[in-house]
Amino acid sequence: MIGIYGGTFDPIHYGHLRPALDVYQALPFSEIRFIPCGEPPHREMPYANRQQRLAMLRLALANQPVFSLDEREMRRKGPSFMVDTLKELRAECGQRSLCLIIGFDAFLGLDHWHQWQAIPELAHVLVTHRPGWNKSEIESQSALGQLVELRQIAPEGLTQHPAGGIVFLPVTQLDISSTRIRELVAAGKDARYLLPDNVYELIKQEKFYGPPC
């Protein structure tokens, strides 16, 4: 089973890495692929350019062999739609189980994604959430509520089919944001302990986010 973990990673930090490790340790994944978004379709462009974000990801993932970097969205021109990425992966992986890993907040906006209804046909959807989450937030949204009602399965069901299920999994959620890290760096303040040391050293050395001269 392959985990698919997308995001801008601008920069990558422990709020990305720790949940990914929790997911890997909870379920029988062969690998977790980090797929950085080249051109986000639903938000502003990243502050760091593509090569800078790739450099940070390579450093962050280097010491964890089950984490891998997939650069396909960085090479693709135009908006980075996850449905296109999943179509490519499905063609490459055949009937292997694919699992799109997204946070609870991102899942609440899934019905605004490009061709979102095709996503469960291409991969399972694994929704990570904090312990003690409130399912009523989903039930209040009719489209997502119906999707969950039809497709929610137990975690062990993820390996039984290549796609189609929805699983909710509690993970360690760290209140860390890329925005806050960029703000600290730009202000000349210390952002250590929020992200891997080697990534932080690269950010400072290359002045990806400031501070201004």
Side-chain angles (χ1 to χ4, degrees):
M1 184 164 66
I2 299 174
I4 309 302
Y5 195 179
T8 54
F9 304 117
D10 187 27
I12 188 167
H13 53 69
Y14 288 133
H16 301 124
L17 294 165
R18 182 65 228 186
L21 185 59
D22 285 349
V23 165
Y24 172 74
Q25 293 183 137
L27 297 166
F29 284 102
S30 58
E31 64 174 310
I32 305 290
R33 293 192 188 183
F34 286 68
I35 305 185
C37 180
E39 184 179 321
H42 302 301
R43 56 184 297 179
E44 70 278 358
M45 287 296 291
Y47 287 79
N49 64 39
R50 298 185 185 207
Q51 292 308 312
Q52 290 169 340
R53 289 186 289 130
L54 285 173
M56 291 187 282
L57 276 160
R58 291 189 188 103
L59 288 175
L61 305 181
N63 295 322
Q64 178 49 270
V66 300
F67 291 168
S68 62
L69 176 59
D70 187 321
E71 302 180 20
R72 71 184 65 226
E73 290 191 1
M74 290 294 204
R75 297 191 295 265
R76 186 187 303 151
K77 294 182 180 179
S80 300
F81 294 121
M82 179 54 71
V83 69
D84 295 333
T85 296
L86 292 176
K87 287 177 181 177
E88 291 179 2
L89 288 167
R90 177 53 62 203
E92 294 168 12
C93 296
Q95 292 302 299
R96 290 188 69 180
S97 180
L98 299 178
C99 194
L100 175 63
I101 303 165
I102 62 175
F104 184 62
D105 289 343
F107 181 71
L108 291 179
L110 182 66
D111 56 345
H112 297 290
W113 290 22
H114 180 63
Q115 295 181 12
W116 70 276
Q117 291 168 315
I119 288 175
E121 303 298 332
L122 298 165
H124 299 296
V125 179
L126 175 61
V127 184
T128 62
H129 61 84
R130 65 189 181 279
W133 67 298
N134 186 355
K135 191 176 180 180
S136 65
E137 294 181 61
I138 296 174
E139 293 170 344
S140 66
Q141 301 188 43
S142 58
L144 289 179
Q146 292 172 9
L147 184 70
V148 170
E149 184 177 351
L150 288 171
R151 294 188 177 272
Q152 186 173 359
I153 60 174
E156 53 269 23
L158 292 172
T159 58
Q160 296 174 8
H161 301 281
I166 296 177
V167 166
F168 294 87
L169 186 74
V171 297
T172 305
Q173 289 204 328
L174 304 175
D175 190 13
I176 301 172
S177 74
S178 296
T179 299
R180 180 57 177 158
I181 293 171
R182 295 194 302 265
E183 290 172 348
L184 287 170
V185 173
K189 296 182 178 180
D190 201 334
R192 76 182 73 190
Y193 311 132
L194 299 176
L195 68 172
D197 288 343
N198 55 2
V199 176
Y200 186 37
E201 290 304 315
L202 179 66
I203 289 171
K204 292 190 294 181
Q205 178 181 335
E206 301 296 331
K207 295 183 169 56
F208 289 168
Y209 305 115
C213 299

